[in-house]
């Protein structure tokens, strides 16, 4: 009974739900290849998931929402936060925010700030990329698990740390 661990009070386990709102997908429109946003989980569907879980007795919830805004889906630096209309628009996003806030549900809309697939919105892929020792832009690749070859479409660049303060200042 001296020292050591004490028996804790009954703690309710938490459920951390992570959803993916939209992704970029190559599609053929009239024979022309284009890249479009493909919705996976709308704001209304995320809200319905939370309601269903609460109805089943889950009391402690958190929701992480990936791919919820245009910049993060396109892989560009965010110049401003804007919800995707394909996922339900501002009204449905606001409903989700209010529901989470009113129920004490942790809501974490995810925004990628360092790994970028494209540049734009005032940022250059050469001048604003982190550099390697040789002075070339730092690049990371996704690899195909079956062939172990680089997936050129999965190439991302690291944003220079000095740009991070400017970028986050725009978003806050």
């Amino acid at each position: 009974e001296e020292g050591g661990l004490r028996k804790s009070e009954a703690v309710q386990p938490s459920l951390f739900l992570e959803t993916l709102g939209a992704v970029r997908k190559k599609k053929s429109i009239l024979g022309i290849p284009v890249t479009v946003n493909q919705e996976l989980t709308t704001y209304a569907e995320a809200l319905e998931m939370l309601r269903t879980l609460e109805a089943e007795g889950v009391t402690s919830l958190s929701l992480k929402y990936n791919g919820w805004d245009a910049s993060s889906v396109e892989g560009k630096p965010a110049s401003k936060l804007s919800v995707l209309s394909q996922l339900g628009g501002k009204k449905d996003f606001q409903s989700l925010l209010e529901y989470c806030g009113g129920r004490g549900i942790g809501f974490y809309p995810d925004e990628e700030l360092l790994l970028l697939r494209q540049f734009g919105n005032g940022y250059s892929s050469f001048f604003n990329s982190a550099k390697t020792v040789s002075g070339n832009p730092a690049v990371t690749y996704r690899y195909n698990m079956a062939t172990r070859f680089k997936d050129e479409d999965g190439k991302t660049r690291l944003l220079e740390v000095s740009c991070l303060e400017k970028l986050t200042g725009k978003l806050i």
Side-chain angles (χ1 to χ4, degrees):
E1 294 293 327
E2 290 180 33
L5 299 174
R6 294 186 182 132
K7 186 174 181 178
S8 67
E9 301 298 320
V11 176
Q12 290 289 340
S14 294
L15 177 67
F16 187 84
L17 179 65
E18 186 170 359
T19 60
L20 185 56
V23 294
R24 299 290 282 170
K25 180 181 178 183
K26 290 184 180 178
K27 191 176 184 179
S28 178
I29 299 177
L30 298 172
I32 301 169
V34 294
T35 305
V36 297
N37 293 338
Q38 175 69 47
E39 66 271 2
L40 301 175
T41 308
T42 65
Y43 305 129
E45 289 170 340
L47 180 58
E48 185 59 33
M49 284 188 250
L50 294 175
R51 287 184 174 142
T52 301
L53 288 167
E54 284 191 322
E56 293 296 323
V58 179
T59 56
S60 181
L61 277 167
S62 292
L63 172 65
K64 179 181 177 187
Y65 205 118
N66 299 305
W68 65 276
D69 76 318
S71 295
S72 67
V73 172
E74 292 173 7
K76 291 182 179 178
S79 59
K80 65 177 184 168
L81 297 178
S82 58
V83 297
L84 280 172
S85 59
Q86 294 99 327
L87 299 179
K90 290 180 183 179
K91 185 177 178 183
D92 285 353
F93 187 76
Q94 189 63 37
S95 296
L96 180 60
L97 275 174
E98 290 171 3
Y99 183 83
C100 290
R103 301 284 185 148
I105 296 172
F107 182 60
Y108 309 100
D110 188 50
E111 186 68 41
E112 179 59 66
L113 298 175
L114 291 176
L115 291 175
L116 305 168
R117 291 187 305 276
Q118 297 181 36
F119 279 77
N121 297 335
Y123 294 90
S124 161
S125 63
F126 183 78
F127 294 109
N128 301 121
S129 290
K131 304 290 189 277
T132 62
V133 175
S134 63
N136 296 322
V139 176
T140 61
Y141 292 93
R142 221 178 20 211
Y143 286 85
N144 183 317
M145 296 297 284
T147 64
R148 297 187 181 184
F149 288 117
K150 285 186 219 177
D151 177 6
E152 290 296 328
D153 292 336
K155 180 168 96 172
T156 57
R157 293 180 189 256
L158 295 167
L159 184 66
E160 192 174 46
V161 176
S162 63
C163 294
L164 190 59
E165 186 176 349
K166 177 181 165 190
L167 182 64
T168 54
K170 286 182 179 180
L171 300 178
I172 294 178

